[in-house]
Amino acid sequence: MNQEQFRIAELVSRFLTDELSKDEYQELSTFRTKYPYLDKWLKQKDIKLAEVSRKLSAYKDFSHESHWNEIVVKQKEMGREKKRNNFRLWVVAASIILISTLALTVFLKNQSVRSASSMENAKALISPGEDKALLILSDGTIVDLANSKNDSLIDGEMKLSMSQNVLDYQNSTGWTNDTHTLKVPIGGTYKIVLADGTKIWMNSDSELIFPTAFVGEERRVRMKGEAYFEIAVDKAKPFRVEVGSTIIEALGTTFNVNTHLIENRTKTILTEGKIKISSDGKHQLVEPGYATITGQGEILLKRADIEEALAWKDGYFYFDSKNLKEVLEEVARWYNVDLDIRSQLTTKRFKGGLKKSASIETVCAVLADLTGYQFKIVDRSLIVK
């Protein structure tokens, strides 16, 4: 926190407790002009302290900019520029974190026991997603990987290695030429290393069908949902990902595939290497930094935002250029809640990110400040109005 940020937090804290001098009020007014997001809060001086306390309590879990910069560093290492214009989601939340640093205790003592109890019950009911998946073996046996306490599992003569929530076929023994299916439920993610060393991060509500060993002249898997691939180099055996009517062919490449964004369409973002996209008899070579949208007999090629491909697997929601409906659908998948949208949603697109470890209260508080909509959690429904 720099000196200016400390000063803003101090002034806001004094404002809310009626302790500002005339000169300090003028100083705060200058900051309000410079940072418009402060204005909304300061104009609500008559807001109930319990309500402000609730918001501040949620915001204290918001991820700091240094966490988001981890993604920036990764992208710069890949030789690409980070576009950070209008990083509004961070800007909105940053001031609230600063305010809460000095002022939170003022409000906490005014918060009712009933309000605190209600918040804790909501947190217990709805938690962020976690590493979990179901593995369907060759004989149909279903293994719950999240609840397995072993560091390996057996499928016939094959012994699979598991460590730190990663299913590793490369370091397995007794390879067989069978087919396994990995299903990641809503509210989950999982990482798998295939027999050739290819690494795949599976996002919420996704499925991967793959061979336990690659034989023949190609390496082929099938998937739906969202996954990030780091393909192991093997020039003799091209790697192909089958996603509905779309085939993604790669050698040594990293890319993200997502079927959740657009109904009956597949979005592929290439981050490194080169891929060939085939769909409905059409073909397209893709360079790094570009994305394709395939389906319904066409292949659309456009510039891509690399962060969209990297952020989710690194533990962030990334909302760059997504509209509110797309943001809410992603949130609902991660927290395993139903969406109950009771108002016409804006088509405006937003920028920014949130740590996926944040509570759903944090996400709702940030989205409420950012969009002006009201968010309420009832049982396992997220009501938007």
Side-chain angles (χ1 to χ4, degrees), residues 78 198-201 221 223 226-232 239-243 247-258 266-277 286-288 290-291 306 309-310 312-313:
M78 295 164 62
T198 291
K199 299 175 183 178
I200 307 175
W201 288 259
V221 301
M223 66 148 290
E226 183 170 20
Y228 184 86
F229 290 79
E230 286 187 2
I231 307 299
F239 196 103
R240 296 185 174 98
V241 181
E242 185 178 330
V243 194
I247 303 294
I248 305 161
E249 182 177 329
L251 291 174
T253 310
T254 60
F255 55 91
N256 191 79
V257 182
N258 192 345
T266 298
K267 183 175 184 178
T268 304
I269 299 176
L270 180 61
T271 58
E272 288 185 11
K274 184 178 290 186
I275 57 176
K276 177 183 177 181
I277 301 289
V286 184
E287 300 286 343
Y290 282 85
I306 301 302
L310 297 174
W312 73 264
K313 80 179 186 65

Side-chain angles (χ1 to χ4, degrees), residues 240-373:
R240 296 185 174 98
V241 181
E242 185 178 330
V243 194
S245 62
T246 298
I247 303 294
I248 305 161
E249 182 177 329
L251 291 174
T253 310
T254 60
F255 55 91
N256 191 79
V257 182
N258 192 345
T259 65
H260 288 313
L261 289 175
I262 309 172
E263 188 175 1
N264 298 322
R265 299 290 185 98
T266 298
K267 183 175 184 178
T268 304
I269 299 176
L270 180 61
T271 58
E272 288 185 11
K274 184 178 290 186
I275 57 176
K276 177 183 177 181
I277 301 289
S278 301
S279 182
D280 298 317
K282 298 180 179 179
H283 309 282
Q284 176 70 57
L285 291 177
V286 184
E287 300 286 343
Y290 282 85
T292 62
I293 297 177
T294 54
Q296 299 183 349
E298 61 182 358
I299 300 177
L300 301 177
L301 180 69
K302 64 177 184 177
R303 279 281 185 183
D305 187 340
I306 301 302
E307 288 165 13
E308 182 182 340
L310 297 174
W312 73 264
K313 80 179 186 65
D314 290 328
Y316 289 84
F317 292 114
Y318 184 59
F319 300 148
D320 190 34
S321 297
K322 292 182 180 179
N323 62 40
L324 184 55
K325 186 173 186 295
E326 292 169 338
V327 169
L328 291 173
E329 287 174 346
E330 186 174 346
V331 168
R333 278 194 298 272
W334 182 240
Y335 291 94
N336 192 13
V337 295
D338 297 321
L339 281 179
D340 184 355
I341 300 174
R342 301 183 180 182
S343 297
Q344 183 74 28
L345 295 182
T346 177
T347 57
K348 183 178 181 180
R349 296 188 176 273
F350 300 94
K351 285 180 176 285
L354 270 170
K355 289 205 77 175
K356 296 178 78 172
S357 59
S359 68
I360 194 168
E361 292 78 21
T362 297
V363 175
C364 289
V366 172
L367 291 178
D369 277 331
L370 181 65
T371 67
Y373 286 86

Side-chain angles (χ1 to χ4, degrees), residues 144-172:
D144 185 348
L145 299 177
N147 294 318
S148 176
K149 297 181 179 179
N150 300 321
D151 58 4
S152 63
L153 62 89
I154 305 297
D155 182 15
E157 298 180 357
M158 186 175 192
K159 184 177 181 180
L160 297 171
S161 173
M162 293 189 298
S163 62
Q164 298 180 339
N165 295 317
V166 177
L167 186 60
D168 190 345
Y169 284 74
Q170 187 179 29
N171 292 321
S172 299

Side-chain angles (χ1 to χ4, degrees), residues 192-247:
I192 181 173
V193 181
L194 301 183
D196 65 335
T198 291
K199 299 175 183 178
I200 307 175
W201 288 259
M202 302 293 296
N203 205 353
S204 178
D205 192 19
S206 300
E207 178 180 293
L208 180 73
I209 301 174
F210 59 97
T212 57
F214 293 107
V215 298
E217 299 180 350
E218 70 168 358
R219 297 170 289 166
R220 181 181 288 256
V221 301
R222 297 197 308 256
M223 66 148 290
K224 62 182 179 180
E226 183 170 20
Y228 184 86
F229 290 79
E230 286 187 2
I231 307 299
V233 177
D234 186 346
K235 294 182 179 180
K237 287 186 178 182
F239 196 103
R240 296 185 174 98
V241 181
E242 185 178 330
V243 194
S245 62
T246 298
I247 303 294

Side-chain angles (χ1 to χ4, degrees), residues 64-169:
H64 291 272
E65 189 175 36
S66 59
H67 295 149
W68 183 258
N69 283 341
E70 293 173 7
I71 296 177
V72 180
V73 171
K74 289 186 178 182
Q75 184 166 331
K76 286 182 177 179
E77 287 175 351
M78 295 164 62
R80 302 182 180 92
E81 286 189 1
K82 164 81 165 108
K83 295 183 180 178
R84 304 185 63 203
N85 298 331
N86 301 319
F87 189 32
R88 298 185 61 217
L89 205 53
W90 159 251
V91 171
V92 171
S95 64
I96 311 305
I97 298 172
L98 303 178
I99 295 169
S100 65
T101 302
L102 296 179
L104 184 57
T105 55
V106 175
F107 303 111
L108 282 178
K109 65 182 180 182
N110 293 284
Q111 186 177 26
S112 67
V113 173
R114 181 179 178 181
S115 176
S117 175
S118 176
M119 180 69 75
E120 289 304 315
N121 288 340
K123 287 183 178 178
L125 180 65
I126 301 175
S127 301
E130 58 186 351
D131 292 329
K132 59 183 178 181
L134 298 177
L135 180 67
I136 304 176
L137 303 180
S138 56
D139 63 356
T141 300
I142 300 176
V143 180
D144 185 348
L145 299 177
N147 294 318
S148 176
K149 297 181 179 179
N150 300 321
D151 58 4
S152 63
L153 62 89
I154 305 297
D155 182 15
E157 298 180 357
M158 186 175 192
K159 184 177 181 180
L160 297 171
S161 173
M162 293 189 298
S163 62
Q164 298 180 339
N165 295 317
V166 177
L167 186 60
D168 190 345
Y169 284 74

